[in-house]
């Protein structure tokens, strides 16, 4: 029966709230091994575990996985029917006011953002995707124990990187600046006698100057009487060349 309505009034159906659809979070033990199931039963006591998860809405379950290929990592399957993992339990997340078409529109937008090649076990996995999708559906965040293990691993990784383990983050001894007020020792070129002598002999290397008097920062040169004859001859020749240049 059509009820009479005043001018400008909305239809009677507009006064009823929109249809609400339940949203479920389906949780799986990661993989198919019995060891993982036993481990999760133990870790669940302390609020943690290795889990896969998917969001069920309008009769389909949506989740995310990684792969070495281009394209999105999103996929859907029958509720509680993911073949790669062992179903564990379901958590009621609430009810969404979005229609099926609106939910599909949200998923289409997330397909672009969640590429398969961007998968990260600690920072961008299926649980992180379910958190974002549940937020878009208006039902809030997923339980903390579902994503606790990945968050703990990411925190440990950040801490290790802050310590600089595995990579150099601080300058080495040669890169560190000297303290204020201290004198930086100047490295002088080695004397000619350091390049040869003895039975092997030696040649003068180009670019080296006549050895200067020894300073406290370096070892003193041996006295002339202890130098090999060949080196004494080289020093005399060098002194003669310097005198000729000065003249």
């Amino acid at each position: 029966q059509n009820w009479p309505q005043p001018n400008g009034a909305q239809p009677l159906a507009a006064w009823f709230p929109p249809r609400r659809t339940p949203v479920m979070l389906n949780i799986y033990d990661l993989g198919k091994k019995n060891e993982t199931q036993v481990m999760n039963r133990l870790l669940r006591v302390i609020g943690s575990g290795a889990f896969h998860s998917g969001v069920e809405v309008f009769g389909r379950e949506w989740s995310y996985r990684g792969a070495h290929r281009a394209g999105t990592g999103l996929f859907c399957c029958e509720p509680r029917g993911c073949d790669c993992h062992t179903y564990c339990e379901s958590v009621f997340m609430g009810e969404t006011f979005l229609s099926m078409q609106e939910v599909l529109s949200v998923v289409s937008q997330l397909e672009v953002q969640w590429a398969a090649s961007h998968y990260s076990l600690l920072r961008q996995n299926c649980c992180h995707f379910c958190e974002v999708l549940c937020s878009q559906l208006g039902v809030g965040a997923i339980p903390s124990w579902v994503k606790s293990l990945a968050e703990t691993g990411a925190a440990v990784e950040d801490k290790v990187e802050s310590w600089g383990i595995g990579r150099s983050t601080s300058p080495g001894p040669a890169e560190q600046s000297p303290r204020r007020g201290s004198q930086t020792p100047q490295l002088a070129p080695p004397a000619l006698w350091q390049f040869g002598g003895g039975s092997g002999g030696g040649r003068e290397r180009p670019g080296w100057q006549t050895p200067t008097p020894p300073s406290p920062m370096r070892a003193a040169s041996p006295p002339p009487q202890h130098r090999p004859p060949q080196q004494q001859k080289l020093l005399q020749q060098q002194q003669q060349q310097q005198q000729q240049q000065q003249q």
Side-chain angles (χ1 to χ4, degrees):
Q1 182 178 0
N2 295 328
W3 296 90
Q5 300 179 18
N7 294 333
Q10 297 180 353
L12 190 61
W15 294 91
F16 291 92
R19 177 185 177 184
R20 297 181 296 183
T21 304
V23 178
M24 303 293 296
L25 180 69
N26 297 328
I27 303 170
Y28 301 76
D29 291 321
L30 198 64
K32 290 288 189 178
K33 295 183 179 180
N34 294 331
E35 291 82 354
T36 305
Q37 301 177 30
V38 175
M39 180 190 70
N40 283 346
R41 301 295 87 77
L42 298 176
L43 292 177
R44 182 65 185 276
V45 178
I46 60 175
S48 186
F51 301 106
H52 170 79
S53 59
V55 177
E56 178 185 349
V57 60
F58 286 108
R60 302 297 293 175
E61 180 180 306
W62 299 92
S63 190
Y64 171 72
R65 61 189 171 192
H68 296 288
R69 57 172 174 79
T72 184
L74 269 62
F75 70 97
C76 67
C77 62
E78 294 292 334
R80 301 173 297 280
C82 185
D83 297 334
C84 301
H85 307 283
T86 306
Y87 173 73
C88 178
E89 61 180 290
S90 296
V91 177
F92 176 69
M93 296 298 301
E95 296 177 329
T96 180
F97 291 96
L98 300 183
S99 65
M100 181 182 294
Q101 294 299 325
E102 291 172 332
V103 170
L104 293 177
S105 177
V106 170
V107 172
S108 297
Q109 296 176 6
L110 295 178
E111 282 180 346
V112 181
Q113 304 172 11
W114 293 78
S117 58
H118 294 169
Y119 181 90
S120 171
L121 184 63
L122 300 181
R123 304 181 185 277
Q124 185 167 328
N125 58 30
C126 56
C127 297
H128 297 108
F129 166 75
C130 292
E131 177 104 330
V132 173
L133 180 56
C134 286
S135 177
Q136 295 286 338
L137 297 178
V139 295
I142 66 176
S144 59
W145 56 268
V146 178
K147 53 183 180 178
S148 172
L149 190 61
E151 291 181 345
T152 302
V156 171
E157 185 180 61
D158 291 340
K159 193 64 176 178
V160 170
E161 290 182 356
S162 68
W163 290 340
I165 298 178
R167 58 187 178 89
S168 177
T169 57
S170 59
E175 300 174 356
Q176 294 177 356
S177 58
R179 295 181 181 178
R180 182 175 299 179
S182 63
Q183 296 181 356
T184 304
Q186 301 294 330
L187 299 179
L192 293 179
W193 64 270
Q194 294 177 342
F195 290 109
S199 60
R203 294 186 305 169
E204 179 180 352
R205 296 195 178 185
W208 294 114
Q209 301 296 328
T210 304
T212 57
S215 64
M217 301 303 299
R218 63 178 184 179
S221 301
Q225 61 272 19
H226 295 293
R227 294 176 181 172
Q230 294 181 352
Q231 293 182 359
Q232 293 182 10
K233 185 177 180 180
L234 289 174
L235 290 176
Q236 292 176 1
Q237 293 177 357
Q238 188 176 16
Q239 292 176 0
Q240 292 176 2
Q241 291 177 1
Q242 290 181 355
Q243 291 177 0
Q244 293 176 1
Q245 292 178 358
Q246 291 178 359
Q247 293 176 0

